[in-house]
Amino acid sequence: MTAITWQSVQAEALRRIRTREWPPGGQIPHEADLAEELGCARATVNRALRDLAESGLLERRRKAGTRVPLNPVRKATLEIPIIRLDVEARGQAYGYRLLARETTLPPPDVCATLKLQAKTPLIRILALHLADNTPFCLEDRWINPLAVPEIVSADLTTISANEWLVQNAAFSRGDFAFGATLATDTTALRLSCPQGAPLFTVDRTTWAAALPITAVRLSYAPGYQMRAEI
Amino acid sequence: MTAITWQSVQAEALRRIRTREWPPGGQIPHEADLAEELGCARATVNRALRDLAESGLLERRRKAGTRVPLNPVRKATLEIPIIRLDVEARGQAYGYRLLARETTLPPPDVCATLKLQAKTPLIRILALHLADNTPFCLEDRWINPLAVPEIVSADLTTISANEWLVQNAAFSRGDFAFGATLATDTTALRLSCPQGAPLFTVDRTTWAAALPITAVRLSYAPGYQMRAEI
DNA sequence: TGGATTATTATGTACATACATATTAAATCT
DNA sequence: AGATTTAATATGTATGTACATAATAATCCA
């Protein structure tokens, strides 16, 4: 029976940080000293402190040691589910409607975010996600067919591009930008909300290495909140 | 020289996931088998796969083994810096103005989010954060003086409550809710933006165990975007 | 057959040791 | 003194072994 787990070491470290036994800006003992003091292996202390450093509560550098940051930059974890699961997790019935699908030349801003030549034709998808039959989220997406050729034969009337891409595109990197925009007249119509309503929006771009796959703007119906914990 | 690191094992696992050599929904080999195949210790494989599971790319269960999820719920990491550092990271000059400070009974909704009795007087802070002398973010905060008694003697005209609390409050848990709201007349005035402009807002509540510390709404000037990577 | 019990198994973790690596501090040279 | 080289050191990681734990599969019994 080993009474000391890395979690217990972490809890003790957290206690010392919170009580300022390890003051902000100050150095904390070496792993080896802590291991001896707490009666465990250095690897156990390492696991505990490494984890705290990843969440921003400690700063570690080789040779320099470990210190408590003065202005910790805490890290919160955002869960990015497919929209269907997001709706279903709220206990609501999910619905989906493909509004438009075409292959056309993208506007300059889309070209820029995807770093593509202006003359590359892309697939544009416009779709509406519903929760309990009321508009939940409007998906305005551009897809690079060179990155996912199978998309041209995919039936996007029953499965959303959001879901299809998660399952079929081997993406390696993604950027997110969260913001607020006003509902334009057409957007308001589609989301069944007043024109000028404030919409929470997510602009997402995903890549397979250097190859751009897709850029999407998700406009959520008024009142939507994205949640996170720390 | 040990050629095989846990990062290289992770890269190989990622490759197999992306190429569908390990298909979605399918089981992958045991750690022990992988370790033998790749020529490393099981602990190395464990570290690599555990990390992938934490980011949502694998699902692991004791005895059941490891599988590739059909609908992976990816985890993005959000960095939560103090506002001053957020501004300075953009290469802009940070400014700060305390607009109001009073001790008063909070409205019912604030009581509810903080789970406090309605008759508990709280400290209310209203402050403006500036970037290059233009309004950047409006901070509307309620602080529980029972959780941080030193706040009553803190000078919040030179250091923001945001920063003071990060440095002085030992919080253990926090909830975030991101959304979009319309600028009311008073908010528009303070942020120097048109009334009815869409504002990206963050509602944050922090706790020390079960003791509520503070609830704050941050309203960012129009155009602000919060970014994350995956 | 059905329900409880027991065995099995894959992951999770602890440990001691050894070495790698980044970074700082000391020493050396010009 | 200032620049360069060298030593020292704290963290980072790999390994083999051992055992813990959770979850499943097999078994047993009524």
Side-chain angles (χ1 to χ4, degrees):
Chain A
M1 190 196 71
T2 39
I4 296 177
T5 64
W6 69 268
Q7 289 97 334
S8 73
V9 172
Q10 186 173 74
E12 171 62 14
L14 264 175
R15 192 190 64 75
R16 295 188 184 184
I17 294 171
R18 297 208 176 111
T19 61
R20 302 178 162 243
E21 191 173 324
W22 290 346
Q27 199 121 9
I28 77 169
H30 315 158
E31 291 184 348
D33 289 353
L34 278 173
E36 193 186 8
E37 180 199 338
L38 300 174
C40 65
R42 186 169 78 89
T44 308
V45 176
N46 182 276
R47 172 85 193 264
L49 299 189
R50 174 164 44 82
D51 207 58
L52 287 177
E54 270 169 21
S55 68
L57 282 164
L58 286 177
E59 281 175 357
R60 325 192 76 204
R61 267 162 55 222
R62 283 168 168 165
K63 165 83 180 177
T66 303
R67 53 177 57 247
V68 184
L70 277 175
N71 291 304
V73 179
R74 297 293 300 270
K75 272 82 175 175
T77 301
L78 263 189
E79 300 201 343
I80 317 282
I82 57 177
I83 298 171
R84 177 172 62 79
L85 292 180
D86 194 4
V87 169
E88 289 172 354
R90 291 158 191 266
Q92 299 187 290
Y94 175 72
Y96 168 76
R97 281 214 304 272
L98 179 65
L99 301 180
R101 172 183 181 150
E102 55 178 347
T103 302
T104 174
L105 291 178
D109 61 317
V110 172
C111 285
T113 55
L114 289 176
K115 290 172 186 159
L116 278 173
Q117 305 272 342
K119 50 180 183 271
T120 315
L122 300 182
I123 298 171
R124 177 159 189 253
I125 302 286
L126 203 65
L128 187 65
H129 301 265
L130 306 147
D132 283 345
N133 277 317
T134 62
F136 179 77
C137 174
L138 184 66
E139 176 178 352
D140 184 356
R141 184 183 293 272
W142 295 85
I143 304 173
N144 181 5
L146 298 175
V148 277
E150 318 82 29
I151 187 79
V152 298
S153 56
D155 177 16
L156 296 180
T157 57
T158 54
I159 184 177
S160 73
N162 176 260
E163 201 159 340
W164 189 92
L165 283 165
V166 166
Q167 291 174 5
N168 294 87
F171 81 94
S172 60
R173 194 165 56 81
D175 301 310
F176 294 82
F178 307 93
T181 59
L182 288 185
T184 62
D185 48 356
T186 59
T187 303
L189 205 66
R190 285 166 174 145
L191 282 175
S192 310
C193 72
Q195 188 179 341
L199 304 182
F200 178 78
T201 60
V202 183
D203 290 306
R204 195 188 311 186
T205 314
T206 56
W207 312 76
L211 186 67
I213 301 176
T214 183
V216 64
R217 161 160 289 194
L218 301 173
S219 301
Y220 286 86
Y224 176 84
Q225 286 193 316
M226 182 179 73
R227 296 177 178 283
E229 269 189 39
I230 200 169
Chain B
M1 189 196 73
T2 40
I4 295 176
T5 63
W6 69 266
Q7 289 97 334
S8 73
V9 173
Q10 186 173 73
E12 172 62 14
L14 264 175
R15 194 191 62 75
R16 295 188 185 184
I17 294 171
R18 297 206 176 114
T19 61
R20 303 181 160 238
E21 193 172 324
W22 290 345
Q27 200 121 7
I28 78 169
H30 314 159
E31 290 184 349
D33 289 353
L34 278 172
E36 193 186 9
E37 181 199 337
L38 301 174
C40 65
R42 186 169 78 88
T44 308
V45 176
N46 181 276
R47 172 86 193 261
L49 299 188
R50 174 164 43 83
D51 207 59
L52 287 177
E54 270 169 22
S55 67
L57 282 165
L58 287 176
E59 281 174 358
R60 323 193 78 204
R61 266 160 56 222
R62 281 169 168 163
K63 165 81 179 179
T66 303
R67 52 178 57 247
V68 184
L70 277 175
N71 291 304
V73 179
R74 297 294 299 272
K75 272 83 176 175
T77 301
L78 261 190
E79 301 201 345
I80 318 281
I82 58 177
I83 298 170
R84 176 172 63 79
L85 292 180
D86 195 4
V87 169
E88 289 172 354
R90 292 158 190 266
Q92 299 186 290
Y94 176 72
Y96 168 75
R97 280 215 303 272
L98 178 64
L99 302 181
R101 172 182 183 151
E102 54 178 348
T103 300
T104 174
L105 290 179
D109 62 317
V110 172
C111 287
T113 54
L114 289 177
K115 289 172 187 157
L116 278 174
Q117 304 273 342
K119 51 180 181 272
T120 316
L122 300 182
I123 298 171
R124 175 155 190 256
I125 302 286
L126 203 65
L128 187 66
H129 301 265
L130 306 147
D132 282 346
N133 277 316
T134 62
F136 179 76
C137 175
L138 184 67
E139 176 177 353
D140 184 356
R141 184 184 292 273
W142 295 86
I143 303 173
N144 181 5
L146 298 175
V148 277
E150 317 83 29
I151 187 79
V152 297
S153 55
D155 175 17
L156 296 181
T157 58
T158 54
I159 184 177
S160 73
N162 176 261
E163 202 158 340
W164 190 92
L165 284 165
V166 165
Q167 290 175 5
N168 294 88
F171 79 96
S172 60
R173 195 164 55 82
D175 301 310
F176 293 82
F178 307 94
T181 59
L182 287 186
T184 62
D185 49 357
T186 58
T187 303
L189 206 66
R190 284 167 175 145
L191 281 175
S192 310
C193 72
Q195 188 179 340
L199 305 181
F200 179 77
T201 60
V202 183
D203 291 305
R204 195 190 307 187
T205 315
T206 56
W207 313 75
L211 186 68
I213 301 176
T214 182
V216 63
R217 161 161 288 194
L218 301 173
S219 301
Y220 287 86
Y224 176 85
Q225 287 193 316
M226 182 179 73
R227 295 178 178 282
E229 269 191 39
I230 200 169

